Each structure stands twice: as structure tokens, then as C-alpha cells.
Amino acid sequence: TPPPPSLIPVECQRELLENIDFPGTDIKHEYSPDVHHCQQLCTQYPSCLFFTFLRADWTNDKRHFYCYLKSTPSGQPKVQKVLSGVTSGYSLKPCGPNPQPCLSRVYPNVDFLGADYRTLFTSDYEECQRVCTKDPFCQFFTFINGVFTPENYRYKCHLKFSWTLPRTLNVNRKSGVVSGFSHSVQFSEPSDTPCSMKLFPSTDIVGGTLESQFAGTPEHCLALCSAHPRCTYFSFESNSFTCRLKNNANELVIQAKEGVTSGIATHFCQQNSDWAKTALEGVDFQGSDIRFELLDDAETCQKTCSIDQNCQFYTYVDDSFHDSAYRRRCYLKRFTTMPAPPKVSKLTNVVSGFTLRNCI
């Protein structure tokens, strides 16, 4: 259970503490190329209140670029101690953060490992970054320079993907709860051209599953498919809220199946997102809690989520819920949507960086 709002720090603390460790109280670790990216990860991770980052000059072991996300009930680290090669700091949640921060720095001799969806050859890393910035799917890149060995990989530009849309960790049916999305969240790239959204009710598209996510509705599943560079179409199973993203550019084989809605990814158009404004009765978006507040109804919960820059979706527990201790709780939730490499490591003669779309 997340802490109530009275225990969440409200003071904006931007300062970074070089060679200071906040030991213990880890939630998890992620990878970051520098401390500023780590601070943004902590800001976006729902329960993270402070962090410790292991820099490139860390010498105790090989955990370079580890970003340890941390939390305590008080919102403050229990201990601070001097430790060379680390930098610590606080979540920027109280600072009114930008949900898509500009990450303009590039990182020589740093590899963003994995998450590739497209490769090409470019003359320098600047061109590789331009291609990444122009490609709506690209969130970060690694470029291999002209002196890399083996030489047959030189000038290769790896475009990489991470999710920019809110995703729910788990969705299930539960009496006495209502869930929904912030009305401020954008589910597709802005466009003057409206999408012609093609959904096939009571229909499954056979095979080709790329990955599975949870989604609240078929339209949410469509938005996820359209945001993924390799998703050509999807099948949404309403009983389990499973969104199966599929990849097959050669054929589309359908079969009748009750409880399944399928559809085709949209491209370069504005999706109708009215579905995101409809509350889902008896549906629980589990996990990803920032905090909860005690509120009178689900509509007030939705409005509270929509005006909170950190909140992307919510679950409200109403007065019919079986356990009276949880009634009237409005759980405000979010998922990391900033560019996040799955692994960061040292590698000579490469350059890595991020899309500059958020810097315009």
C-alpha cells in the first residue's frame, strides 16, 4: 500500500549530492547514462522518492551506470554516507516535472544495449541522432564510429525503442472499484488527419505474437500497437485484459472468436481518444501507485488525476468495496514513459544519445 499524501515530501529538492550514498531502502535498479537521467527516472517511477547513481568513475565493482530507485515512509533517506563514485538526489515529483524531458547530451564510449528495431549506416553520430529524432518510434540510439573493431560494423546507427504510452502492470475485474485514465494524457502523436480506426469484434488474428501487455479496452490496445515500431496488428482478450501485439507484414489471417477484438495499427494520424475518458466500472488497474487520497467519488478521483502532472491513470475504491478500510481511496498511478535504455555499459568507439524531439 502506498503512503497517504501527508507522508509524501512536498518540497522541491533539485540539488545533487556528489560522492554521497543513500544506502539501503532500494525499490529496484534501472540503468542510466548519467545522474540527470537517473533523477528523471526516479521522478517518473511511481514510488521513487530519492536515488543513488553509480557513475562511470565507480571503481568498487562493475556496476557502472546503475540507478538505484529508493523510498522510505518518511520520504527521506535513513542514512547518508560518503562514498566515492556515486551521486545521490531526490525525485522531482514536487517540482512540476516535464513528463517528456529534453535529454540533449550525447555519451561517447557508452553503449545503450538492446531495444533495437532498425539499423542503418550514417556518416557520423549527429546524422544518426537526426534520424532518431525524425523517426517517431525512436527514443535513443547507439552509433558505431569509423575506428571501431571489427571494422564491418563501422558507421552503423542503431535506432532503439522504449514505451512512451502509459501501460498498466496488471488489469483485472474487482467489485467495488472504478478505474480510468487522466484526461491530460496523449495516446497518439498529434496530427491534422483523423485515423480510420479498424476494429474487428469477436475476431482473433492468428499467430505472430510479438509481446503481450495489459490494456483496459480494445482502443487502449490499439494505441499500444500503434506506438510500437514492429506491431502490425493486435488481438485484445476482454476476459483477461490481455493485449497481444502481433507482427506479420505479409498476411492477416482472421478467425471468429468470442471475447476477442482485433485491429490494425494506425499510422501518421490522430486517434480518437474518447475511450480514455470513459471510466471502467469493476476494473482494477493494479500497481504503479504514486499515492492515494481519500475522496468522495470516482469523478473527483479522475479530476484529481487529470490535474496532477505525475498521474496517468487511477483506481477508485467506492463505498460498496468489501473491506471498509480501503473505501474512498483514490489511487493515483503512473508508468515510466521517458526514454529508458534496458542496459547501459562502457564500449570504446561508440556514441549513444536520445531523440531530440522533446527539446524542440
Side-chain angles (χ1 to χ4, degrees):
T1 301
S6 58
L7 297 181
I8 298 289
V10 292
E11 183 185 349
C12 175
Q13 301 180 78
R14 295 183 183 274
E15 70 275 11
L16 298 171
L17 306 173
E18 202 164 311
N19 299 319
I20 297 293
D21 181 28
F22 295 163
T25 69
D26 298 352
I27 304 166
K28 64 182 300 190
H29 85 266
E30 302 274 10
Y31 288 93
S32 288
D34 65 17
V35 68
H36 301 289
H37 183 271
C38 181
Q39 186 171 45
Q40 291 290 347
L41 275 183
C42 179
T43 301
Q44 293 216 352
Y45 193 81
S47 55
C48 183
L49 300 177
F50 47 91
F51 65 90
T52 293
F53 174 69
L54 278 59
R55 303 189 307 259
D57 61 327
W58 167 261
T59 57
N60 291 21
D61 51 39
K62 293 185 178 180
R63 287 179 298 158
H64 310 104
F65 308 114
Y66 275 43
C67 174
Y68 285 95
L69 308 181
K70 300 168 180 277
S71 180
T72 56
S74 70
Q76 295 295 324
K78 292 179 178 178
V79 186
Q80 299 187 26
K81 71 176 191 179
V82 175
L83 183 62
S84 184
V86 309
T87 301
S88 296
Y90 297 87
S91 163
L92 299 177
K93 288 183 185 72
C95 307
N98 184 342
Q100 293 297 337
C102 168
L103 304 168
S104 58
R105 189 181 162 196
V106 293
Y107 304 91
N109 303 313
V110 172
D111 183 21
F112 290 171
L113 202 62
D116 298 40
Y117 70 92
R118 180 186 167 202
T119 57
L120 65 155
F121 291 92
T122 59
S123 57
D124 52 30
Y125 81 81
E126 290 95 341
E127 185 177 356
C128 183
Q129 188 171 43
R130 281 198 303 275
V131 175
C132 181
T133 300
K134 293 287 187 182
D135 186 324
F137 296 116
C138 185
Q139 299 303 312
F140 44 97
F141 68 90
T142 293
F143 172 76
I144 300 171
N145 71 17
V147 293
F148 184 85
T149 52
E151 62 186 49
N152 52 319
Y153 294 113
R154 291 175 183 174
Y155 304 106
K156 200 170 187 182
C157 169
H158 295 257
L159 304 185
K160 298 165 183 277
F161 167 78
S162 65
W163 286 102
T164 57
L165 289 190
R167 294 174 296 142
T168 48
L169 279 177
N170 199 355
V171 184
N172 57 38
R173 299 193 187 280
K174 186 179 287 185
S175 298
V177 303
V178 180
S179 296
F181 293 94
S182 164
H183 291 190
S184 303
V185 170
Q186 294 290 325
F187 281 91
S188 71
E189 292 282 322
S191 172
D192 294 331
T193 306
C195 294
S196 175
M197 291 159 58
K198 200 71 178 171
L199 296 177
F200 307 108
S202 303
T203 302
D204 186 25
I205 299 178
V206 180
T209 299
L210 181 67
E211 63 178 85
S212 294
Q213 298 285 341
F214 284 101
T217 65
E219 293 85 358
H220 185 201
C221 189
L222 168 64
L224 292 173
C225 179
S226 302
H228 194 292
R230 295 180 60 210
C231 186
T232 49
Y233 41 71
F234 69 90
S235 292
F236 174 75
E237 298 169 10
S238 57
N239 285 341
S240 61
F241 297 98
T242 303
C243 172
R244 300 199 189 282
L245 306 183
K246 307 195 173 201
N247 174 258
N248 186 337
N250 297 316
E251 60 179 3
L252 189 154
V253 181
I254 62 172
Q255 66 180 23
K257 191 170 185 180
E258 284 303 312
V260 177
T261 300
S262 297
I264 301 169
T266 61
H267 308 278
F268 304 107
C269 56
Q270 180 75 56
Q271 291 178 21
N272 184 331
S273 58
D274 288 350
W275 61 269
K277 295 179 171 61
T278 303
L280 304 175
E281 302 270 349
V283 174
D284 184 18
F285 290 168
Q286 285 191 313
S288 302
D289 300 324
I290 305 168
R291 67 182 190 277
F292 71 82
E293 297 187 12
L294 296 176
L295 299 173
D296 288 337
D297 52 52
E299 186 180 353
T300 308
C301 182
Q302 174 269 306
K303 289 177 179 174
T304 303
C305 178
S306 295
I307 62 174
D308 187 322
Q309 290 186 69
N310 297 307
C311 184
Q312 297 166 339
F313 47 100
Y314 66 89
T315 292
Y316 180 74
V317 185
D318 66 29
D319 287 333
S320 68
F321 191 70
H322 66 89
D323 188 337
S324 60
Y326 289 87
R327 291 173 187 167
R328 297 182 61 244
R329 287 189 180 186
C330 170
Y331 289 94
L332 305 179
K333 301 164 180 277
R334 72 160 295 117
F335 207 90
T336 301
T337 52
M338 65 177 279
K343 190 167 185 182
V344 179
S345 59
K346 294 181 178 182
L347 184 62
T348 305
N349 293 319
V350 305
V351 179
S352 295
F354 296 94
T355 176
L356 298 178
R357 281 194 305 283
N358 300 324
C359 304
I360 298 166

